[in-house]
Amino acid sequence: MVLRLGIDVGGTNTDAVILRDREVLAGVKSSTTEDVMSGISAALEAVIAKAGVARDAIDVTMIGTTHFTNAVIERRHLDPVAAIRLGLPATACLPPMVDWPEDLVEMVGGHRYMLRGGYEFDGREIAPLDEDELIRIAGEITDLGIKAAAISSVFSPINRDMEERARDLLLQHCPGLSVVLSSEIGRIGLLERESAAIMNASLLSLSDHTVEAFGRALRESGLNCPFFVTQNDGTLMAADTVRRFPVLTFASGPTNSMRGAAFLTGVKDAIVIDIGGTTTDVGALQHGFPRQAATVVDVGGVRTNFRMPDVFSIGLGGGTIVTGGPDDLTVGPKSVGYRLTTEALCFGGDTLTTTDIAVRAGMAEVGDASKVQSIDPALVDAAKARIAEMLEMAVERSRISPDPIPVIAVGGGSILAPERIGDLDVIRPENFAVANAVGAAIAQISGEVDRIFALEGTTRDQCLSAAETEARETAIAAGARADTLTVIEREDVPLAYLPGNATRIHLKVVGDMGDLNV
Amino acid sequence: MSDFKDKLWHLTEEDIDALEIGSGILGTGGGGNPYIGKLRARQSLREGYRLSILPIEALDDEARVVPLGGIGAPLVSFERLKEGREGLRCLRALEDRLGFKADAVGCEEIGGQNSMEPLITAGYADLPVVDGDGMGRAFPEMQMTTYAIYGHRSTPSVMCDPHGNAVCFEHAISEKWHETMARACVISQGGASVLASAPMSGAFFKRHAIPHSYTQAIGLGRAVMTARAQHDDPIAAICEREGGRHIFSGKISDLKRHFARGFNVGIASIEGLDNCRGSLGEITIQNEFLIFRRDGEMQVCVPDLVVVLDLDTGLPLTTEVLRYGQRIAVLALPCHELLRSAQALEVVGPAAFGYPDLAYRPMTEAV
């Protein structure tokens, strides 16, 4: 018997659940607070009390967070970044962030630098690293007061020496600068890997602050069990990894809510809409798992090449601000976020939100209904119509066939969902509001191998099976049950013109977390 | 050359978006990443260059058309991006070498990024690109263009890399030799260069190019975009437009890849899904998707097009983005008749790719 505490820290709400094996003992919802910590403390105190378990009986805590994704989507808490690419004279035609939305480029400062360096596919240097130029850039970084840099070098997933050399040189001239290397984050595909590194760099101070707050909240609540954070493929990573790589959590919210939705309903094929406080994520559930995007995934309008579920996010949630009158109505994309319970009309504030519309329309009972009675019914109708239209568009985009599969509505904001979306029925499971936390609590353990193997004197199949054995052992050591392990990624990329017929093998297995005492 | 200015089709950003999809489909997995090409084309539009297509019928018989395209490994094209003006340097060097002025740029290969390269280069040179190409799809080697098959001698030619290196291939005793020399050279240039071939006459182009391939690719892209917007099946839209067939649906269960002779070669095994459950598909890859077999039996092969799409979105996949577990649809589209003559099949039929025992059977005849 294993007791797991799952916590989901969203932009608006912090949810917590306690699971005993496959049974949801208790689920609670509380507001996300500006300091993050007190919201987590409140949620876990409430859920522990509700479940009636001793806190030292809890075996493990899993935290899912959409904090970093929301920061990018809402363009908030992003630090300016020096985006430094080593590759000239190649790559000059497409500068860093060339395919980013303009406002996001402005947010991170638009500091793009291209200099000589990088590798050819066969290991030759495109050009030696232009150290003088890098030192000049370091001076500019200091003058501008930029605190973070992202370095991307051509073919760094195969050879990261130059990225590392550039980082060391930068740190010499800019002590205290946070530097992210593209080779630590992504794989081949320069623009996508570089974009991920830049976004990661822009999120570092937020992630540092956030992970610190998570840890403190757990300690102060007397929880001494291990603590993990869920990443975008639904598996877990150690807290310190998140501190350095917040982008790896990017799609964990949708993954957790979809896996939670499947777990709570027992429905394996559906469209899941997760309506939070700030955004709605929509994705397709196939055989109980989120459908993976084929190639690249958009986050806040930027392409990245992580393996992620194919979800579509729209700026609609319970805290979304409604402006204008019945004829010139606008819903979002701005949101009051975690300040919903102080700023929304129904909570005594003075901002009109979608939650106020739902309360006025009798779709939900939250806050004080008397405070929204003055909203014009014509405005309510217009807002409801607009919300239904936004949801239908998002659901249609995720639909992959005309089959009438159900829509599962989860998340605190699912009070906004109508009974039907287009021609599809909407299911709202018990514990719908905390599906994310359930998804976090059932997150899996992975084991991964990403290394260069020499094929000389052996075969590709032997190397793949050696890599699989190693990945399985890693996963089992981390707590996975051997009988549940499955391979989710298996990739071998031959590296031409290296001695020994070298090939890079990337293999990942995932499985359920087993008895932690093993 | 007569005045054609009023006949030009100036592409918009939307046309470029459609071309990305359409050329991705016709690329049959190769031809480089069209997304990168699209970004470059869009960037040059935004910088004020005009990307223009000249209807093939409006081409003057005496016009001098310079065919041009990228050459190299797909993996390189989306990691070590181009400097940008490789093509323009090729064109200028060729003009200097031969003492002529180009009237238009020709496309070597409509598939993939190679549909964009001529547009970008022609934009910089303020020339149009003729609405046609040498393959009507993507093929891995230069001698596989209809230009070469029907007698155009592609040397002297010039190949440039991002560093500013330029190589002139003065003379090749055959198109295959030209290909072999260029392939050896592109490795030393870092694996992705641009090559401009000797000019051909407008009369030759009109007779031997695959006609209207830009119109076709952009139209195909638009059809997919429209189907997606209206929640119609994009796969059906593609088949209907091109007279093609959706021949397999499945999940990639193994992927073997290696480099050989500068090519990315491999085999993708596909476990059948839906109405293909219980069957095993297999795609042979050599930069492009060459052959599709179902349970060991050949269903479609070059020069007909083996197209791989994401099963759910209907968007084309290139060979390098295929992954274990991916759900894909395999389509067969018929090639242009210019590729089906005995003369053409010698160069682009299965035997030319190392499958002498495989007899080409046009997919239009198989049911």
Side-chain angles (χ1 to χ4, degrees), chain A residues 187 286 290-298 303-311 397 489 491, chain B residues 228 252 308-329:
Chain A
R187 40 188 181 189
Q286 287 179 323
R291 182 161 66 103
Q292 299 287 315
T295 49
V296 289
V297 188
D298 244 65
R303 285 163 58 107
T304 62
N305 59 3
F306 304 119
R307 188 182 166 88
M308 288 205 223
D310 188 12
V311 291
R397 186 196 168 279
E489 277 181 48
E491 193 173 46
Chain B
R228 278 165 60 84
I252 297 182
V308 175
L309 306 175
D310 178 78
L311 184 59
D312 304 317
T313 63
L315 293 177
L317 300 174
T318 51
T319 56
E320 71 274 1
V321 303
L322 291 189
R323 267 203 321 263
Y324 171 77
Q326 221 163 24
R327 290 156 46 84
I328 60 171

Side-chain angles (χ1 to χ4, degrees), chain A residues 113-409:
Chain A
Y113 302 97
M114 291 196 272
L115 57 151
R116 297 175 68 82
Y119 295 99
E120 301 283 4
F121 73 104
D122 55 4
R124 281 178 293 160
E125 289 180 348
I126 291 174
L129 176 62
D130 187 344
E131 302 198 347
D132 293 342
E133 175 64 2
L134 194 62
I135 292 166
R136 191 196 67 74
I137 293 167
E140 212 174 302
I141 289 173
T142 307
D143 293 345
L144 289 166
I146 299 172
K147 300 275 183 278
I151 301 177
S152 53
S153 159
V154 175
F155 278 114
S156 64
I158 290 177
N159 184 352
R160 65 166 66 176
D161 288 355
M162 207 178 285
E163 284 190 354
E164 289 175 347
R165 216 158 74 217
R167 174 192 59 201
D168 295 347
L169 202 59
L170 263 190
L171 287 176
Q172 262 176 40
H173 291 83
C174 309
L177 183 73
S178 298
V179 183
V180 176
L181 305 185
S182 78
S183 55
E184 298 174 306
I185 287 183
R187 40 188 181 189
I188 287 179
L190 179 69
L191 289 181
E192 291 87 1
R193 185 176 76 249
E194 175 178 81
S195 293
I198 297 168
M199 275 196 274
N200 195 71
S202 78
L203 288 164
L204 286 177
S205 56
L206 179 66
S207 69
D208 206 43
H209 173 81
T210 308
V211 173
E212 176 63 35
F214 287 171
R216 212 159 356 117
L218 297 182
R219 276 196 311 277
E220 288 180 6
S221 301
L223 290 178
N224 292 310
C225 59
F227 127 60
F228 296 92
V229 176
T230 62
Q231 52 182 332
N232 55 40
D233 59 2
T235 66
L236 300 164
M237 63 177 154
D240 268 345
T241 315
V242 189
R243 207 187 280 266
R244 292 177 50 223
F245 301 112
V247 290
L248 298 183
T249 68
F250 263 7
S252 66
T255 303
N256 290 339
S257 72
M258 280 197 254
R259 299 208 62 233
F263 184 88
L264 290 171
T265 55
V267 174
K268 301 226 177 290
D269 293 283
I271 303 287
V272 177
I273 57 173
D274 178 15
I275 312 182
T278 316
T279 56
T280 297
D281 293 324
V282 185
L285 194 61
Q286 287 179 323
H287 315 298
F289 284 86
R291 182 161 66 103
Q292 299 287 315
T295 49
V296 289
V297 188
D298 244 65
V299 179
V302 176
R303 285 163 58 107
T304 62
N305 59 3
F306 304 119
R307 188 182 166 88
M308 288 205 223
D310 188 12
V311 291
F312 184 57
S313 289
I314 55 173
L316 173 70
T320 299
I321 297 172
V322 179
T323 52
D327 301 323
D328 61 343
L329 182 102
T330 309
V331 176
K334 287 225 181 312
S335 163
V336 295
Y338 62 84
R339 299 181 306 274
L340 179 69
T341 53
T342 53
E343 297 198 1
L345 296 182
C346 65
F347 291 109
D350 51 13
T351 308
L352 177 61
T353 66
T354 49
T355 296
D356 298 316
I357 300 289
V359 172
R360 177 71 175 87
M363 295 158 73
E365 289 171 22
V366 292
D368 181 352
S370 70
K371 291 198 158 68
V372 296
Q373 284 317 306
S374 58
I375 303 173
D376 178 1
L379 181 74
V380 172
D381 289 343
K384 274 176 67 183
R386 177 69 193 131
I387 290 167
E389 190 187 344
M390 288 167 82
L391 289 174
E392 187 174 343
M393 248 165 53
V395 166
E396 280 300 319
R397 186 196 168 279
S398 294
R399 241 175 123 166
I400 52 177
S401 73
D403 300 341
I405 53 172
V407 173
I408 307 175

Side-chain angles (χ1 to χ4, degrees), chain A residues 46-66:
Chain A
V47 80
I48 288 169
K50 196 169 170 190
V53 296
R55 52 197 74 205
D56 59 4
I58 293 170
D59 295 294
V60 62
T61 301
M62 285 99 153
I63 300 183
T65 179
T66 54

Side-chain angles (χ1 to χ4, degrees), chain A residues 82-97:
Chain A
I84 301 171
R85 184 199 291 167
L86 320 177
L88 292 185
T91 79
C93 58
L94 295 173
M97 300 182 270

Side-chain angles (χ1 to χ4, degrees), chain A residues 85 87 89-95 98-100 116 119-122 124-127 153-158 187-193 286-287 291-295 303 305 307 310 393 396-397 399-400 460-461 464 487-497 503, chain B residues 20 33 35-37 39-43 46-47 73 75-86 124 161-164 186-192 228 231 253-259 261-262 264 273 277 310-313 316-317 320-327:
Chain A
R85 184 199 291 167
T91 79
C93 58
L94 295 173
V98 65
D99 55 349
W100 287 32
R116 297 175 68 82
Y119 295 99
E120 301 283 4
F121 73 104
D122 55 4
R124 281 178 293 160
E125 289 180 348
I126 291 174
S153 159
V154 175
F155 278 114
S156 64
I158 290 177
R187 40 188 181 189
I188 287 179
L190 179 69
L191 289 181
E192 291 87 1
R193 185 176 76 249
Q286 287 179 323
H287 315 298
R291 182 161 66 103
Q292 299 287 315
T295 49
R303 285 163 58 107
N305 59 3
R307 188 182 166 88
D310 188 12
M393 248 165 53
E396 280 300 319
R397 186 196 168 279
R399 241 175 123 166
I400 52 177
R460 169 182 175 269
D461 286 341
L464 279 173
V487 177
I488 61 161
E489 277 181 48
R490 180 190 284 143
E491 193 173 46
D492 54 321
V493 181
L495 310 179
Y497 310 102
T503 188
Chain B
E20 178 195 7
N33 185 332
Y35 176 69
I36 299 287
L39 288 182
R40 291 176 56 207
R42 191 175 77 183
Q43 192 81 345
R46 289 179 183 178
E47 285 168 14
L75 186 89
V76 173
S77 75
F78 71 122
E79 174 65 28
R80 192 208 63 176
L81 309 175
K82 291 205 164 63
E83 182 269 343
R85 301 203 174 216
E86 288 89 339
Y124 289 142
D161 70 10
H163 302 273
V186 76
I187 299 289
S188 70
Q189 287 194 342
R228 278 165 60 84
H231 308 293
S253 54
D254 193 29
L255 204 52
K256 293 192 183 71
R257 287 197 264 221
H258 63 283
F259 274 98
R261 296 170 292 121
N264 178 0
L273 287 172
R277 208 170 281 278
D310 178 78
L311 184 59
D312 304 317
T313 63
L317 300 174
E320 71 274 1
V321 303
L322 291 189
R323 267 203 321 263
Y324 171 77
Q326 221 163 24
R327 290 156 46 84

